């Protein structure tokens, strides 16, 4: 199996604040990797490093066989097109319709005709359960619908790697389970690699093939759900016992 994402001794600081220190992990293509850790431990930063929105200070990040650490934004563009990003806040454009939000990456990155883009967008909205919402405005939608719309936009370019930051934040348990089922379907049907940050343990357990636990700038533990439950670190075991969602 090939590797979708590899971190080798990656470090990242903001001014004096060291967020990641020598972090290494590998995510096999077509699997789901769930990143856990307390608030402020660098989980969102890790996703942004993978997507090239942030640059590592040292170490090497490889995405789908391409070493991205030293690339400028033009050289990075083909690799970025393979990735979809569902941000922690869904990050929709509030002044354009849901359909146009999903169409946005297709208009920017492809030469496809308007009618073709409309058909693709309709198909994706259908898939995430927003088939009737093409013309709705994001501001009129509930949190769960906004998440689905953000997911639809992240899927527009048929990414082989999907980066998902807190898919269940602010959602009720049923909606959160539905989003998880969509993510699992994307992995199974499209052989996509998922890298998911979540605080929601029931969701993490549903999604993860492998987990990683960030603490104090280090990847404190990684492994399967079962391995994490038996971690030598009390903090990891306690985290795994949590029943809390959200
Ligand atoms: N662009 C930035 N500039 C300066 N500091 C940043 C930047 N992005 C993140 N940080 C800092 O890096 C640390 C890790 O942030 P990050 O957003 O990755 O945390 P997190 O693990 O995702 O937390 P949460 O679970 O609350 O979302 C924080 O101290 C944050 O303030
Ligand atoms: Mg975060």
């Amino acid at each position: 199996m090939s590797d979708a994402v590899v971190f080798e001794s990656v470090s990242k600081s903001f001014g004096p604040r060291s967020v990641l220190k020598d972090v290494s992990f590998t995510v096999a293509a077509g699997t789901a990797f769930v990143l856990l850790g307390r608030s402020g431990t660098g989980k969102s930063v890790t996703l942004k490093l993978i997507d090239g929105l942030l640059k590592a200070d040292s170490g090497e990040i490889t995405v789908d066989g391409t070493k991205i650490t030293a690339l400028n934004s033009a050289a990075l563009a083909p690799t970025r097109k393979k990735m979809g990003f569902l941000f922690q806040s869904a990050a929709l454009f509030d002044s354009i319709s849901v359909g146009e939000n999903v169409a946005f990456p297709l208009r920017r990155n492809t030469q496809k005709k308007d009618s073709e883009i409309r058909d693709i967008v309709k198909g994706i909205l259908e898939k995430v359960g927003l088939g009737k919402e093409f013309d709705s405005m994001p501001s009129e939608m509930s949190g769960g619908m906004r998440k689905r719309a953000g997911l639809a936009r992240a899927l527009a370019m048929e990414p082989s790697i999907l980066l998902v930051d807190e898919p269940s934040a602010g959602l009720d348990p049923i909606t959160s389970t539905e989003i998880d089922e969509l993510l699992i379907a994307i992995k199974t049907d499209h052989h996509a690699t998922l890298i998911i940050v979540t605080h929601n343990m029931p969701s993490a357990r549903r999604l993860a093939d492998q987990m990683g636990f960030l603490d104090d700038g280090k990847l404190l533990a990684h492994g399967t759900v079962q391995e994490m439950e038996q971690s030598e670190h009390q903090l990891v075991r306690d985290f795994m016992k949590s029943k809390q969602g959200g």
Side-chain angles (χ1 to χ4, degrees), residues 1-205:
M1 208 187 308
S2 60
D3 293 328
V5 173
V6 182
F7 267 47
E8 288 169 276
S9 301
V10 171
S11 296
K12 177 70 184 172
S13 298
F14 296 99
R17 194 190 167 92
S18 171
V19 176
L20 300 181
K21 305 172 202 162
D22 241 0
V23 169
S24 301
F25 64 87
T26 297
V27 182
T31 68
F33 183 73
V34 170
L35 199 52
L36 304 168
R38 293 156 78 171
S39 208
T41 47
K43 303 180 300 296
S44 296
V45 165
T46 301
L47 293 185
K48 288 173 189 167
L49 286 167
I50 297 170
D51 197 46
L53 291 168
L54 291 171
K55 280 260 174 269
D57 300 329
S58 61
E60 186 68 74
I61 299 171
T62 307
V63 175
D64 200 18
T66 302
K67 292 186 191 311
I68 64 163
T69 323
L71 299 183
N72 63 27
S73 62
L76 193 59
T79 302
R80 289 200 70 198
K81 281 183 199 169
K82 298 177 191 173
M83 290 185 271
F85 203 143
L86 175 56
F87 289 94
Q88 199 160 350
S89 57
L92 300 169
F93 302 117
D94 278 324
S95 58
I96 56 175
S97 70
V98 168
E100 279 306 317
N101 264 279
V102 180
F104 186 81
L106 293 162
R107 295 205 196 287
R108 192 179 48 182
N109 295 313
T110 74
Q111 310 295 323
K112 291 183 198 303
K113 285 187 303 189
D114 223 50
S115 57
E116 195 182 346
I117 289 180
R118 238 189 128 73
D119 288 346
I120 294 171
V121 171
K122 279 185 174 163
I124 300 170
L125 286 176
E126 201 75 51
K127 189 183 325 193
V128 302
L130 295 179
K132 295 195 178 77
E133 308 296 334
F134 193 103
D135 294 315
S136 301
M137 297 304 279
S139 55
E140 299 162 353
M141 301 201 312
S142 70
M145 289 165 90
R146 290 175 66 88
K147 272 278 164 160
R148 287 170 199 269
L151 182 59
R153 192 178 57 188
L155 293 175
M157 294 286 291
E158 297 186 4
S160 57
I161 300 171
L162 188 60
L163 309 170
V164 186
D165 204 348
E166 306 263 7
S168 1
L171 303 185
D172 67 81
I174 294 170
T175 307
S176 158
T177 303
E178 286 168 0
I179 300 270
D180 289 348
E181 281 163 3
L182 277 171
L183 292 172
I184 291 166
I186 290 156
K187 184 183 84 164
T188 321
D189 302 346
H190 301 276
H191 307 290
T193 307
L194 307 180
I195 303 182
I196 301 153
V197 168
T198 184
H199 285 121
N200 180 322
M201 279 315 297
S203 169
R205 286 168 179 279

